[in-house]
C-alpha cells in the first residue's frame, strides 16, 4: 500500500482545499490570522524546535514569513542559534528537549516535564495568533495538546496550531489511526514527502505538501557559487582540502554521527572501530566528521577523536557552504539515519546509512514498522539504493566492507547518483504547479515560502 502511494501520488499546493479550511475555521468562530494581526497591529508567532534540523527549518520559515507578512512579526518560543539569528529569544537551550526514542527519554523525564510546563505557560502569556512546532513530535505534540486543553474544551479562543514535518504515520502499523488523534490539537500539518498530505486529508486532517526543507540548501548556496544546475549542490573540494591541509592524494570519508548527544555517543564508537578496519585498505585515509551545532555534541566529539586511528578533520555545522565543500572533497559518506541522507543526494555523494538505538526501542521498531527501509531515498523510491546497516547488523565488521565496495565499485556509486535525480524531483512542491522542477529551482515555491503562505492565508 505504501509503495503504491509513493509511486502514484503527487500533491501540491491546493488552493481549493485552503478555502475549505478557512470556511471551517470561520464556522468554529475563529478569526483568520490576517484579521487578528490587523487588529493588533502585529503578528505574534510562538514557535518551537527541539533539534538541529528543526532549528534550520524554523529559521527559514521565520525569514520567509517576515518577508511575506504585511504586518510586523514577534517571535518567541524555543529554538537554537539559527532561530536566534532571526530574532528569537529562546526560553531555554534547545538541547534540553532534544531526546529521541521511547526508553531513551526516561532518564530525562523530569526535566522534560518541567520544560513542557514552562513552554505552555510562556505561550499562554504571549497570546500568539499562530503556534508552530517543528518536528520533535515527542515534545511538540505534548505541548500542543496541553496548550489546546488550556484554552477550553471548544478551543474557540485558541490560536491556530501548525506542525511542520508530519510524523511518519505511514511507516507504522496503526499509524493512520494515531493520525486522526492529532485533529484534537493540530489544525494543519506541513508535509515534506509527496504522498503524506493526501493521506492526512483522507483522514480529516488539513495538510499541505511543502517539499523537503533540504532543497533550500540549493537556493541558499546559489549566492555562494556552490550551486550547479538542477537540484544539485557542487561544493569546492579543492578549497576544502587547502583550508584543512588535506593532501590531494588522500581518500576522504565524511562521517555524520547525528545531531543529538544520545545518538552520537552510541554511533561514533562504532564508526571509530569501522575506520580502524579500513585504514590498512585505504592508504592516506582522512575522516571528516561533521559536528552538529550542539554544545554537548561538540564537547563529546572533540574529546573522543583524539583516540581515532587516522587523521580527523572536524567541520562545524554552522557553515552550509563549508559542509558541501567537504562533501565534494569526499569519496563516500557514512551517515546516522536522518536528514543527512537527503544532503548526500543533493551533493551526489555515495553513502551508507547506519542506525542503532536502545535495545527496547529497536524491538519496538521491528514490531511496529511497516516499511523495510529507514533512509528517505530508499523509502520514497521503494528501493535499497542506499545500503543500510541497522540494529544488530550495525557493526564495524559489516560496515567496513560496505564502505570499501562503495569506494571502489563504480556501478554502486553511479546507481546512487542516478537515483538522486528522481528522488529529489519527487521532493519538490513545484512539480505540481506546472514548472520544470529539475531544471529551474525557484524561490517562489521553496518549502519555507509555501509554509509561510499557508499560515498567512489561514
Amino acid at each position: 500500500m505504501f509503495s503504491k502511494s509513493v509511486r502514484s501520488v503527487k500533491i501540491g499546493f491546493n488552493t481549493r482545499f485552503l478555502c475549505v479550511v478557512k470556511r471551517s475555521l470561520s464556522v468554529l468562530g475563529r478569526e483568520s490570522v490576517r484579521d487578528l494581526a490587523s487588529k493588533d497591529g502585529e503578528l505574534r508567532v510562538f514557535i518551537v524546535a527541539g533539534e538541529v534540523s528543526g532549528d534550520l527549518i524554523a529559521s527559514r520559515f521565520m525569514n520567509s514569513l517576515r518577508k511575506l507578512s504585511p504586518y510586523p512579526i514577534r517571535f518567541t518560543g524555543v529554538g537554537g542559534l539559527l532561530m536566534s539569528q532571526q530574532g528569537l529569544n529562546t526560553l531555554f537551550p534547545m538541547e534540553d528537549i532534544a531526546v529521541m526514542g521511547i526508553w531513551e527519554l526516561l532518564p530525562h523525564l523530569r526535566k522534560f516535564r518541567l520544560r513542557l510546563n514552562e513552554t505552555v505557560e510562556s505561550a499562554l502569556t504571549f497570546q500568539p495568533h499562530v503556534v508552530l512546532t517543528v518536528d520533535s513530535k515527542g515534545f511538540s505534540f505534548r505541548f500542543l495538546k496541553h496548550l489546546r486543553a488550556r484554552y477550553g474544551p471548544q478551543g474557540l479562543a485558541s490560536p491556530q496550531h501548525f506542525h511542520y514535518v508530519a510524523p511518519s504515520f505511514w511507516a507504522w502499523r496503526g499509524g493512520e489511526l494515531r493520525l486522526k488523534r492529532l485533529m484534537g490539537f493540530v489544525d494543519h500539518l506541513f508535509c515534506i514527502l509527496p504522498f503524506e498530505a493526501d493521506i492526512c486529508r483522507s483522514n480529516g486532517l488539513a495538510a499541505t505538501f511543502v517539499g523537503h526543507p533540504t532543497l533550500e540548501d540549493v537556493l541558499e548556496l546559489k549566492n555562494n557559487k556552490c550551486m550547479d544546475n538542477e537540484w544539485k549542490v557542487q561544493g569546492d573540494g579543492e578549497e576544502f582540502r587547502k583550508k584543512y591541509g588535506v593532501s590531494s592524494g588522500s581518500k576522504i570519508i565524511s562521517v555524520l554521527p547525528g545531531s543529538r548527544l544520545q545518538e552520537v555517543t552510541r554511533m561514533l564508537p562504532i564508526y571509530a572501530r569501522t575506520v580502524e578496519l579500513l585504514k590498512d585498505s585505504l592508504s592516506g585515509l582522512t575522516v571528516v566528521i561533521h559536528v552538529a551545532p550542539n554544545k554537548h555534541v561538540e564537547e563529546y566529539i572533540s574529546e573522543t577523536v583524539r583516540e581515532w586511528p587516522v587523521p580527523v578533520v572536524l567541520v562545524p555545522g554552522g557553515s552550509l557552504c563549508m559542509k558541501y565543500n567537504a562533501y565534494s572533497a569526499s569519496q563516500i559518506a557514512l551517515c546516522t539515519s536522518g536528514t543527512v541522507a537527503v544532503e548526500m543526494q543533493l551533493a551526489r555523494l555515495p553513502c551508507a546509512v547506519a542506525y542503532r538505538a536502545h535495545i527496547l526501542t529497536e524491538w519496538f521498531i521491528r514490531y511496529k514498522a511497516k516499511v523495510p527501509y529507514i533512509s528517505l531515498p530508499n523509502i520514497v523510491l521503494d528501493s535499497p539504493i542506499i545500503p543500510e546497516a541497522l540494529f544488530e547488523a550495525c557493526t564495524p565488521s559489516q560496515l567496513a566492507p560496505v564502505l570499501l565496495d562503495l569506494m571502489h565499485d563504480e556501478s554502486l556509486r553511479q546507481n546512487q547518483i542516478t537515483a538522486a535525480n528522481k528522488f529529489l524531483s519527487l521532493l519538490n512542491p513545484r512539480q505540481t504547479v506546472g514548472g520544470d522542477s529539475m531544471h529551474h529551482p525557484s524561490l517562489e515555491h521553496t518549502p519555507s515560502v509555501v509554509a509561510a503562505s499557508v499560515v498567512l492565508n489561514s
Side-chain angles (χ1 to χ4, degrees):
M1 176 181 175
F2 169 76
S3 301
K4 183 178 179 181
S5 297
V6 173
R7 289 191 294 267
S8 65
V9 180
K10 290 186 176 181
I11 305 122
F13 187 88
N14 192 320
T15 305
R16 288 177 297 176
F17 175 72
L18 287 176
C19 292
V20 171
V21 172
K22 291 169 74 174
R23 287 196 297 271
S24 299
L25 294 176
S26 177
V27 169
L28 289 172
R30 183 182 290 162
E31 293 185 79
S32 72
V33 169
R34 286 180 180 268
D35 287 345
L36 291 170
S38 178
K39 286 181 179 180
D40 292 346
E42 65 174 3
L43 175 58
R44 294 190 296 274
V45 180
F46 195 91
I47 187 166
V48 176
E51 53 193 272
V52 172
S53 59
D55 184 41
L56 178 59
I57 293 169
S59 68
R60 285 170 168 168
F61 170 86
M62 293 166 72
N63 184 52
S64 295
L65 187 64
R66 187 177 286 109
K67 290 178 178 178
L68 292 175
S69 174
Y71 314 104
I73 302 179
R74 275 203 294 147
F75 294 103
T76 195
V78 181
L81 177 63
L82 296 176
M83 292 167 70
S84 70
Q85 292 172 355
Q86 293 295 329
L88 180 79
N89 291 317
T90 186
L91 300 175
F92 48 80
M94 181 179 67
E95 291 82 2
D96 286 1
I97 56 174
V99 180
M100 181 180 69
I102 303 168
W103 287 270
E104 291 89 339
L105 174 62
L106 294 179
H108 308 277
L109 197 55
R110 184 175 181 275
K111 177 187 281 189
F112 189 89
R113 286 173 174 167
L114 289 172
R115 293 310 197 193
L116 177 62
N117 292 335
E118 182 180 350
T119 308
V120 170
E121 293 301 328
S122 178
L124 290 168
T125 301
F126 185 61
Q127 295 185 325
H129 304 123
V130 171
V131 175
L132 174 72
T133 53
V134 182
D135 212 355
S136 302
K137 65 180 184 297
F139 185 88
S140 294
F141 291 162
R142 286 176 176 86
F143 162 65
L144 294 176
K145 187 174 183 178
H146 282 67
L147 184 60
R148 180 57 54 84
R150 293 286 294 273
Y151 278 96
Q154 301 301 318
L156 296 179
S158 172
Q160 293 193 46
H161 288 183
F162 296 85
H163 182 72
Y164 201 141
V165 183
S168 52
F169 54 86
W170 38 264
W172 307 98
R173 293 186 178 92
E176 290 192 35
L177 178 62
R178 291 195 296 273
L179 186 65
K180 291 181 179 180
R181 296 171 186 163
L182 298 184
M183 294 175 63
F185 53 89
V186 175
D187 298 310
H188 203 111
L189 275 177
F190 293 134
C191 303
I192 67 172
L193 298 180
F195 50 85
E196 292 176 323
D198 217 26
I199 300 174
C200 289
R201 293 197 287 263
S202 69
N203 282 277
L205 186 59
T208 300
F209 171 49
V210 298
H212 199 283
T214 306
L215 294 180
E216 297 197 45
D217 289 0
V218 173
L219 297 165
E220 187 169 323
L221 289 171
K222 184 176 182 180
N223 293 331
N224 294 327
K225 299 182 180 179
C226 287
M227 190 193 83
D228 201 352
N229 61 350
E230 303 181 312
W231 290 101
K232 177 180 178 181
V233 178
Q234 182 63 56
D236 190 334
E238 289 305 313
E239 180 182 336
F240 177 83
R241 287 176 180 269
K242 182 178 179 180
K243 177 179 175 65
Y244 288 99
V246 180
S247 68
S248 59
S250 295
K251 291 183 172 59
I252 299 177
I253 297 178
S254 270
V255 170
L256 299 102
S259 60
R260 306 175 188 89
L261 182 61
Q262 65 183 117
E263 64 186 359
V264 174
T265 55
R266 181 174 287 114
M267 301 305 299
L268 202 59
I270 297 173
Y271 296 163
R273 295 193 294 273
T274 301
V275 169
E276 176 75 40
L277 297 177
L278 290 174
K279 68 175 184 177
D280 292 334
S281 301
L282 299 173
S283 59
L285 178 62
T286 297
V287 172
V288 172
I289 299 179
H290 296 258
V291 185
N294 175 322
K295 63 180 180 179
H296 304 305
V297 168
E298 292 168 357
E299 291 169 0
Y300 174 80
I301 292 179
S302 296
E303 287 295 321
T304 303
V305 297
R306 296 174 183 176
E307 302 176 2
W308 275 52
V310 300
V312 174
V313 174
L314 300 183
V315 176
S319 171
L320 199 61
C321 194
M322 186 55 65
K323 174 166 65 176
Y324 281 95
N325 285 352
Y327 293 161
S328 182
S330 302
Q331 279 73 50
I332 57 174
L334 176 57
C335 316
T336 300
S337 176
T339 304
V340 292
V342 184
E343 294 178 0
M344 298 303 106
Q345 304 296 288
L346 280 178
R348 304 303 194 270
L349 178 60
C351 67
V353 167
Y355 183 72
R356 288 235 64 166
H358 188 284
I359 187 170
L360 293 176
T361 299
E362 291 184 1
W363 175 86
F364 179 83
I365 292 172
R366 284 195 192 92
Y367 178 72
K368 295 291 288 185
K370 290 198 305 183
V371 296
Y373 311 116
I374 200 167
S375 57
L376 281 181
N378 290 352
I379 290 170
V380 172
L381 297 176
D382 191 29
S383 178
I385 300 297
I386 295 174
E388 298 180 350
L390 311 178
F391 309 145
E392 72 277 359
C394 181
T395 64
S397 62
Q398 296 204 49
L399 280 171
V402 169
L403 294 174
L404 282 174
D405 286 345
L406 268 182
M407 182 75 77
H408 298 305
D409 189 329
E410 190 58 35
S411 65
L412 291 177
R413 299 171 60 82
Q414 195 57 48
N415 283 345
Q416 287 198 32
I417 292 170
T418 301
N421 296 326
K422 181 179 180 182
F423 167 68
L424 293 169
S425 70
L426 293 172
L427 300 191
N428 175 28
R430 187 173 179 172
Q431 65 175 318
T432 60
V433 292
D436 184 342
S437 64
M438 283 304 296
H439 295 281
H440 298 287
S442 169
L443 285 168
E444 297 174 5
H445 298 287
T446 64
S448 63
V449 168
V450 175
S453 298
V454 172
V455 167
L456 281 174
N457 289 288
S458 295

